[in-house]
Amino acid sequence: MKDTYRHKGLRRKLVEEVKSKGIRDDGVLAALEAVPRHFFLDSSFVEIAYQDKPFPIGSGQTISQPYTVAFQSELLLVEKGLKVLEVGTGSGYQACILEEMGARVYSIERHHTLFIKTKKLLNEMNYKAKLFYGDGYKGLPAFAPFDRILITAAAPVVPADLVNQLKIGGMLVLPLGAGDTQVMTRIIKHNDDNLEKQEFGYFRFVPMLKKKAP
Ligand code: SAH
């Protein structure tokens, strides 16, 4: 696949659109401009990749809407060199955005088929994010603690193992709720028994499911 001037032009327009919807973080906007989103969709219609919409990526999953990716990335307050765990690799797009923002990215996916497909793609694109096949509810204890954790599927509860795998002063961003819509939530771990919870409005994600899938 190629990344042409036309794609770059479409991407600049997308960045303007996301900016007009309220995203201000320069690191986030630069990352959106850098990552060729059309590489992550099977569709041959590149325009679709640069509309501010979610899109099916196979295995019944979706690549999140660019605005949602930007919103979560902004809330995560990523700084260069931070160790970030993403739960729900999906297409890998969000992982690449975090990497462009300077994070050292670890990402877990429960769907084996999707995991294999995305691992190949990120490798071809020269991204260094470390991808794992597993159940995100359990996190990655062998690689903990993390500065930041981002969940990109709707979590019915705050997963306790993930809070345990956060550094003191670290943050967890997740769409929280068991219903059709979830509340975008940021948990700041001031210390082991002092968690601050902040809320940022309603979003709609595919559910975070238990256990691995083929
Ligand atoms: N971040 C993705 C979008 C994710 S959609 C992107 O940028 O494309 C949500 C993803 O979470 C799906 O791929 C789904 O299979 C995965 N998922 C759901 N429950 C999970 C769990 N318990 N552990 C890991 N991944 C999970």
Side-chain angles (χ1 to χ4, degrees):
M1 222 181 291
K2 287 203 178 92
D3 190 29
T4 65
Y5 281 109
R6 178 156 166 260
H7 298 123
K8 291 186 173 102
L10 289 168
R11 215 141 64 229
R12 264 195 295 278
K13 273 200 202 148
L14 175 65
V15 170
E16 287 309 314
E17 186 174 346
V18 166
K19 217 168 153 179
S20 76
K21 292 177 178 171
I23 302 299
R24 289 287 168 265
D25 186 310
D26 287 335
V28 173
L29 297 169
L32 282 185
E33 186 152 346
V35 181
R37 191 167 185 264
H38 63 286
F39 283 35
F40 298 83
L41 310 184
D42 291 328
S43 169
S44 50
F45 301 100
V46 295
E47 281 78 8
I48 290 176
Y50 293 109
Q51 290 171 3
D52 191 22
K53 288 185 182 149
F55 202 76
I57 52 171
S59 305
Q61 300 305 320
T62 55
I63 177 172
S64 302
Q65 182 178 345
Y67 172 74
T68 305
V69 170
F71 194 90
Q72 286 202 299
S73 303
E74 188 165 78
L75 280 185
L76 207 58
L77 303 177
V78 176
E79 291 159 35
K80 222 175 163 46
L82 290 191
K83 195 168 154 190
V84 179
L85 171 65
E86 179 198 20
V87 173
T89 314
S91 69
Y93 179 68
Q94 171 78 72
C96 295
I97 294 287
L98 295 172
E99 186 169 331
E100 290 284 352
M101 292 172 71
R104 290 179 287 137
V105 182
Y106 294 73
S107 184
I108 318 178
E109 172 57 54
R110 72 181 280 278
H111 257 293
H112 193 254
T113 322
L114 207 48
F115 160 74
I116 295 291
K117 186 175 162 192
T118 300
K119 201 172 159 66
K120 183 165 173 280
L121 177 68
L122 265 52
N123 189 35
E124 284 165 4
M125 292 177 77
N126 275 321
Y127 280 105
K128 308 273 176 292
K130 294 181 176 60
L131 304 189
F132 298 82
Y133 168 52
D135 178 0
Y137 277 99
K138 300 193 177 121
L140 289 177
F143 297 89
F146 297 94
D147 296 291
R148 302 282 188 270
I149 299 180
L150 174 62
I151 305 182
T152 66
V157 293
V158 178
D161 284 340
L162 296 185
V163 174
N164 287 337
Q165 290 172 32
L166 259 188
K167 282 186 194 166
I168 301 297
M171 297 173 200
L172 164 65
V173 169
L174 76 165
L176 185 61
D180 273 358
T181 58
Q182 303 86 37
V183 178
M184 190 61 78
T185 305
R186 180 165 64 193
I187 310 270
I188 305 175
K189 183 172 174 176
H190 293 299
N191 58 53
D192 284 331
D193 40 30
N194 181 2
L195 303 178
E196 181 185 346
K197 187 176 173 189
Q198 305 169 325
E199 298 185 334
F200 300 90
Y202 288 93
F203 285 80
R204 191 182 292 263
F205 282 75
V206 297
M208 182 173 174
L209 301 170
K210 297 256 180 202
K211 302 210 179 95
K212 297 195 262 187

